[in-house]
Amino acid sequence: MANSFMQLYLSRTFKIIKKYKLVLPGDKVFVALSGGKDSGACLWTIKKYVHLNNINADVVGFHLNFGLPHSDKVQEVVEKQAKKMECKLEVVNVKDYGIDMQKLDTRKRPMCSYCGTIKRYLLNKVPRELDATKLATGHHMDDFLVFFFKNLLTRNYAWITKFKPLLAGNGKMLTRIRPLYEVGGRENEELCKKEDIPFLEEDICPYAILGKRADPKLRKCYELLYSVESWQKDFRLLMIRSMRKVIKYLPEEKQEYKYCSICGEPTSQEICGFCKIKNELEKSKNKN
Ligand code: SF4
Ligand code: ZN
């Protein structure tokens, strides 16, 4: 049984990596690590793929320490993951980039929203400056399916076209890869348990309860996938494969990037979200 699970996991993930050329000789892949099962499984999969196929590519774990009350605990788990997988780890403290998360005004905006903006910015900027060729994330098929249905309901078709195993980079935007495209949260958890990969069992962030992940509707969507799968074998896999086909017929929105007039990073506006947060902090410091 253990063997058949592993064979299935490896065949699904390796097939995606090969087909979409997610990891090639000469690549320097940064894997975003959050301490959770999905990013842990993502690092394990890429390391295994590189090793078994004897590919001359660098794999580096990358973690953002947000400086929130639980952040050091998360970092400890990430360090254990990297050690277990014999992987180099780069850790960046958000504070070193001029943002003290604890001073942000959460009456203006939820903490998770600040976090998201900062994460998107630093996950692109830092690895790129450290010569990464690609950024790998632990997004998996359950995530893509839930957001596929959500965006279908709101007719946000352009957004759906981004749900691919590889999002090619553009200018200062780093190429993003999603090797877990055909496995879901349940499979990642099983893999981590079988391989003894440490991970945080649940969201330990004190703000999680107010965040999107705690949204009961969203949780129900994830549960629904598994509930259908209980009577329709391979429902998620069949759906994600259909989704990939459907995406081809949807008009792709070419995203034109400008460069932030303050920091020079890609943004759709005059000033990027990250610099706006820094400005907000600066203003409140001057007020006090
Ligand atoms: Fe950030 Fe929200 Fe995650 Fe906490 S739960 S780390 S605030 S995104
Ligand atoms: Zn900026």
Side-chain angles (χ1 to χ4, degrees):
M1 187 65 191
N3 242 354
S4 75
F5 168 79
M6 204 47 102
Q7 278 165 4
L8 193 85
Y9 193 93
L10 290 177
S11 85
R12 286 197 196 172
T13 51
F14 281 19
K15 208 178 88 195
I16 288 289
I17 299 176
K18 244 183 221 150
K19 184 170 176 187
Y20 292 91
K21 301 186 172 66
L22 301 190
V23 183
L24 295 171
D27 264 337
K28 186 171 183 180
V29 182
F30 270 49
V31 182
L33 296 174
S34 65
K37 61 186 185 340
D38 303 320
S39 54
C42 181
L43 177 62
W44 181 91
T45 302
I46 295 178
K47 285 284 286 180
K48 191 92 176 163
Y49 180 83
V50 165
H51 175 70
L52 291 181
N53 294 285
N54 210 8
I55 294 173
N56 182 19
D58 268 355
V59 183
V60 180
F62 182 59
H63 177 64
L64 293 177
N65 183 316
F66 281 93
L68 288 168
H70 69 301
S71 295
D72 290 342
K73 219 170 169 183
V74 177
Q75 187 175 326
E76 263 174 43
V77 175
V78 168
E79 282 167 358
K80 283 185 192 154
Q81 288 181 334
K83 194 169 174 216
K84 161 96 190 160
M85 291 179 248
E86 296 175 6
C87 185
K88 190 177 170 218
L89 177 67
E90 295 279 355
V91 177
V92 155
N93 288 302
V94 169
K95 216 172 190 171
D96 294 342
Y97 282 81
I99 293 184
D100 183 344
M101 300 290 292
Q102 316 244 25
K103 295 216 167 100
L104 293 170
D105 187 351
T106 50
R107 287 165 309 178
K108 278 192 188 159
R109 200 172 146 183
M111 187 59 100
C112 292
S113 160
Y114 283 118
C115 245
T117 302
I118 294 163
K119 204 186 299 178
R120 275 191 298 280
Y121 181 90
L122 291 175
L123 283 183
N124 186 61
K125 177 184 166 75
V126 181
R128 193 195 68 232
E129 288 177 347
L130 293 172
D131 300 324
T133 54
K134 286 165 183 159
L135 174 75
T137 57
H139 293 111
H140 52 73
M141 73 173 166
D142 304 351
D143 298 327
F144 290 118
L145 287 175
V146 165
F147 286 95
F148 173 70
F149 290 127
K150 276 195 80 151
N151 284 288
L152 209 56
L153 289 179
T154 52
R155 299 189 202 165
N156 192 358
Y157 305 123
W159 197 251
I160 292 173
T161 61
K162 293 178 201 292
F163 298 171
K164 295 186 281 201
L166 182 138
L167 270 186
N170 172 12
K172 282 183 166 181
M173 283 302 278
L174 206 50
T175 294
R176 277 149 203 265
I177 59 171
R178 291 96 172 237
L180 309 184
Y181 195 82
E182 287 196 351
V183 287
R186 192 177 278 175
E187 289 77 21
N188 294 336
E189 183 166 349
E190 193 166 342
L191 176 94
C192 287
K193 287 185 173 157
K194 283 198 191 324
E195 288 297 308
D196 268 332
I197 300 167
F199 65 91
L200 289 162
E201 290 275 356
E202 55 198 271
D203 246 324
I204 56 166
C205 176
Y207 297 98
I209 195 146
L210 305 165
K212 258 194 195 157
R213 272 189 269 174
D215 178 353
K217 275 194 194 162
L218 204 59
R219 272 182 195 270
K220 275 204 174 119
C221 288
Y222 280 90
E223 283 162 18
L224 192 65
L225 293 178
Y226 286 94
S227 143
V228 177
E229 188 146 306
S230 66
W231 52 264
Q232 169 65 61
K233 191 173 178 287
D234 287 336
F235 171 70
R236 290 170 303 144
L237 184 66
L238 296 171
M239 272 309 300
I240 196 91
R241 289 185 175 163
S242 294
M243 185 192 92
R244 213 160 65 227
K245 292 246 176 329
V246 169
I247 282 176
K248 289 186 191 155
Y249 300 104
L250 295 173
E252 220 167 304
E253 195 179 76
K254 271 264 165 276
Q255 202 162 1
E256 297 295 339
Y257 290 106
K258 299 179 208 168
Y259 289 99
C260 172
S261 58
I262 299 177
C263 68
E265 287 299 306
T267 173
S268 55
Q269 290 163 356
E270 175 66 21
I271 297 175
C272 77
F274 189 85
C275 287
K276 281 183 188 159
I277 296 176
K278 279 178 84 170
N279 285 345
E280 188 186 309
L281 278 173
E282 204 55 43
K283 268 189 208 153
S284 69
K285 203 162 82 187
N286 292 340
K287 254 192 219 162
N288 298 332

